[in-house]
Amino acid sequence: MSAVREAIVLPVIFLTVTLLAAVSPGPPVTFAGPSLFALVLATMLVAALVRGHALLPAQLLHGSRSILANTNGAIVVAAVFAGSAQLLAMLTPRTGLPLFFVDVLLFVLLLNTLVTQPARRELLRSLAITLGSALILKFVVLAGLSDPTGSRTARVMVALFDAATFGTIAQDPIQPAAGYLAFAAAVLYLVGLALLVSRPPPRGRAELQSAPRMQSIRA
Amino acid sequence: MRESVVRGGGVALAIVYAAAIGWLFARQPQTIAQVTGGLAATVGAYRIDQQAFDDGLRFFRADQFVEARAAFARADAAERDARTQFYTAYSYYRQGWGRVYNDDALFTQGLKAVDKAIALAPGGRLVVDDQNLQMHSADELRAELQRGITREAADFNPLKLFRSRK
């Protein structure tokens, strides 16, 4: 990986994701940090990235590298974690049953990803689908159900839906700009993940590395 | 050599960027003016618009409080100057003060402004040397505003009709 990419491009990308995902357009404009559960999900996501070789800590932090290079690597890892936590917090609905179900869904999906240990390309595709689905659910479906500025028919439907679900589904109204910010943050995050590894390890590398040791054990 | 420069610059850039994000989380600015003013204040480079402040003071002394607040808002767009926030709070007090009852909404806004002034003042102590005012410290003003929105038995004392605005 080039020094420019590692020292400048990747930290800027992931810190920008952190910033974009933290903004909640107003009024009033607020900057909200990730919830505790978002930190747990981010830990699982980073672990899945490492296991799927989408993030190679050995390329970023190693005894053979200089202190400055290792500092750059540590910043990249920290920025990936911060961006992941903030992005997951942003994609999670704020209240009610959607918050519960999306949290459970993300937890199960990430747990499944950790266990199945997909290859890098499949992992990135899977993440794109997961993040995209969460974005559509929160900023299109739920935002549409909670939109107070629609037509009279739409507002009646929203009120009926809200009454039928005892107010457990409807969310606070979301500013239109929030969806665009979320989209930009998600795309930037996926671009950053794609740039994290310059030369992905060949398929089955882990098995190849462990093969001689296994042979010696058998012998 | 070039690589170490890039790596060093990257570390510095990341630290500054992360610090800026942390600052946004901590300060929660509402406008671009608050962002730029806050960052300028962090490095001690923030200055209010003195002309607008003088205009505000003139309006304030003429009991034109809405105009005064507009001028003070222009003078301290980032809301980073304790003295201007003090005068803003005082304008809410004087406008909201009434012989029979006070305007709770204006007093509440005044309380917010004086809290901001106290938070901005070094050590939380703010004293304004202005002979046209009867309350010179932010603590006095805050207590007066707080008393104004508190409901108590003394509110029904008829002698309150003879009190005067500070």
Side-chain angles (χ1 to χ4, degrees):
Chain A
M1 190 186 303
S2 72
V4 173
R5 189 195 291 190
E6 187 185 331
I8 297 173
V9 177
L10 287 172
V12 166
I13 284 179
F14 286 107
L15 287 173
T16 305
V17 169
T18 308
L19 179 62
L20 289 177
V23 179
S24 177
V29 178
T30 53
F31 297 86
S35 64
L36 183 61
F37 196 71
L39 292 177
V40 173
L41 291 177
T43 307
M44 292 171 70
L45 178 53
V46 171
L49 291 173
V50 172
R51 285 173 69 97
H53 300 299
L55 171 64
L56 298 174
Q59 271 192 1
L60 299 167
L61 297 160
H62 199 269
S64 61
R65 287 158 54 96
S66 67
I67 293 174
L68 202 53
N70 276 332
T71 307
N72 290 139
I75 287 172
V76 170
V77 174
V80 169
F81 180 75
S84 305
Q86 201 66 63
L87 190 74
L88 289 166
M90 180 199 65
L91 293 175
T92 310
R94 294 266 180 248
T95 55
L97 284 178
L99 166 68
F100 175 74
F101 283 119
V102 170
D103 269 348
V104 170
L105 191 68
L106 287 174
F107 183 79
V108 171
L109 279 173
L110 289 172
L111 199 62
N112 183 55
T113 308
L114 266 173
V115 172
T116 54
Q117 205 176 336
R120 177 175 172 270
R121 188 179 297 178
E122 285 73 29
L123 174 64
L124 294 183
R125 283 179 186 162
S126 160
L127 269 179
I129 299 293
T130 305
L131 298 179
S133 306
L135 191 138
I136 289 170
L137 180 69
K138 179 174 176 182
F139 292 98
V140 179
V141 179
L142 290 173
L145 287 174
S146 313
D147 183 13
T149 58
S151 65
R152 186 173 294 177
T153 312
R155 276 183 283 159
V156 168
M157 294 298 288
V158 168
L160 286 174
F161 180 76
D162 204 23
T165 55
F166 299 107
T168 53
I169 304 291
Q171 304 286 301
D172 291 334
I174 296 173
Q175 292 287 323
Y180 293 100
L181 283 176
F183 183 79
V187 169
L188 203 55
Y189 181 76
L190 290 170
V191 169
L193 288 187
L195 291 174
L196 266 178
V197 177
S198 52
R199 287 190 309 276
R203 280 176 184 270
R205 184 183 172 189
E207 290 80 3
L208 287 173
Q209 284 176 338
S210 63
R213 197 173 52 187
M214 292 302 291
Q215 283 171 355
S216 66
I217 290 169
R218 285 195 196 104
Chain B
M1 176 61 188
R2 186 181 170 275
E3 185 179 324
S4 59
V5 170
V6 169
R7 288 191 179 281
V11 170
L13 178 70
I15 289 171
V16 169
Y17 198 176
I21 293 172
W23 181 86
L24 289 172
F25 275 85
R27 298 282 180 181
Q28 302 280 332
Q30 300 295 305
T31 61
I32 296 297
Q34 288 183 7
V35 173
T36 53
L39 291 174
T42 306
V43 295
Y46 182 69
R47 297 284 178 271
I48 60 165
D49 179 345
Q50 194 59 44
Q51 177 64 55
F53 180 79
D54 292 342
D55 289 345
L57 213 51
R58 192 162 43 79
F59 285 130
F60 176 78
R61 286 174 181 159
D63 279 7
Q64 292 173 273
F65 300 115
V66 177
E67 293 88 338
R69 281 197 294 276
F72 287 142
R74 207 169 53 249
D76 183 23
E79 299 178 0
R80 300 291 305 168
D81 184 60
R83 192 158 161 259
T84 311
Q85 292 305 311
F86 176 83
Y87 275 106
T88 303
Y90 216 123
S91 75
Y92 279 120
Y93 163 74
R94 283 195 169 172
Q95 189 182 357
W97 185 87
R99 197 166 293 283
V100 181
Y101 66 92
N102 300 314
D103 186 322
D104 282 357
L106 288 171
F107 268 46
T108 305
Q109 285 179 287
L111 207 52
K112 280 183 193 164
V114 78
D115 279 342
K116 208 174 285 175
I118 290 170
L120 291 168
R125 182 177 182 274
L126 176 63
V127 177
V128 175
D129 189 19
D130 184 340
Q131 297 308 312
N132 295 300
L133 306 178
Q134 289 184 38
M135 293 182 284
H136 296 281
S137 75
D139 296 330
E140 285 174 284
L141 178 58
R142 192 184 189 286
E144 192 69 17
L145 287 164
Q146 186 70 59
R147 264 195 296 275
I149 57 172
T150 305
R151 297 278 168 273
E152 54 191 352
D155 288 343
F156 302 102
N157 184 354
L159 292 176
K160 279 189 76 174
L161 293 173
F162 299 105
R163 65 193 175 133
S164 59
R165 193 181 71 175
K166 293 183 181 175

